[in-house]
Amino acid sequence: MPDQRLTEPLPVLRARRPGFARTLTGRAVLVGCSVALVSVLVTALVAVPVTLRAGQRQAREALAAEANVAAAVLRNRLDRGIVTPQAGRLLAQLRREGIDMYLVRDGQADPAGLPDAVVQAVAAGERVSRRARVDGRLSIVEGRPLAAGQG
């Protein structure tokens, strides 16, 4: 009788294919991608607020320059009660740029809508540079005093 061990088929060993994450190369690629993703997220978390602050600072500086020009144009004309064509053109230009202009006379804003703290500060002869709610919207407010409690 033949030996059965010799005629029995040998089991076929199949090579197991390791998953991508199980190889050294796969792990290195996953770690590298993870580090890159975390770096991008951290950069975005830091850069967005810095960019927003820089944009707000630039808008505030531009508005302050506009307020200085408007005050220079209006300073001597308002105390005489005269709005010259030059002042009218200035008001129209500011409106085209999306800037609302309020005049403070006798402790009242014209048109109404400025916060009382801003009106009182300008009427008292103080320069104002802050964020405040104007007509329900958070806005950058620049105020310049003019002659005799006006602004």
Side-chain angles (χ1 to χ4, degrees), residues 27-130:
R27 288 180 185 172
V29 169
L30 287 177
V31 167
C33 289
S34 299
V35 168
L37 179 64
V38 169
S39 297
V40 167
L41 290 175
V42 168
T43 302
L45 289 173
V46 170
V48 168
V50 169
T51 303
L52 288 175
R53 272 184 264 143
Q56 287 177 352
R57 185 181 67 246
Q58 195 172 27
R60 183 172 282 165
E61 289 171 359
L63 186 59
E66 296 281 355
N68 291 336
V69 169
V73 169
L74 297 175
R75 183 164 281 123
N76 293 326
R77 292 166 177 88
L78 284 180
D79 58 350
R80 294 185 304 224
I82 301 170
V83 178
T84 63
Q86 184 181 14
R89 284 193 301 274
L90 173 67
L91 290 172
Q93 177 63 34
L94 291 175
R95 285 190 188 110
R96 279 193 298 274
E97 293 177 13
I99 298 172
D100 295 328
M101 190 163 125
Y102 296 81
L103 297 175
V104 175
R105 295 181 188 178
D106 302 321
Q108 300 293 320
D110 179 27
L114 280 179
D116 290 335
V118 172
V119 173
Q120 291 170 2
V122 171
E126 299 174 22
R127 290 175 60 121
V128 174
S129 181
R130 65 176 79 152

Side-chain angles (χ1 to χ4, degrees), residues 125-146:
E126 299 174 22
R127 290 175 60 121
V128 174
S129 181
R130 65 176 79 152
R131 293 181 70 182
R133 290 214 176 268
V134 178
D135 287 334
R137 295 180 313 178
L138 189 59
S139 303
I140 299 172
V141 177
E142 288 288 332
R144 298 295 181 268
L146 300 174

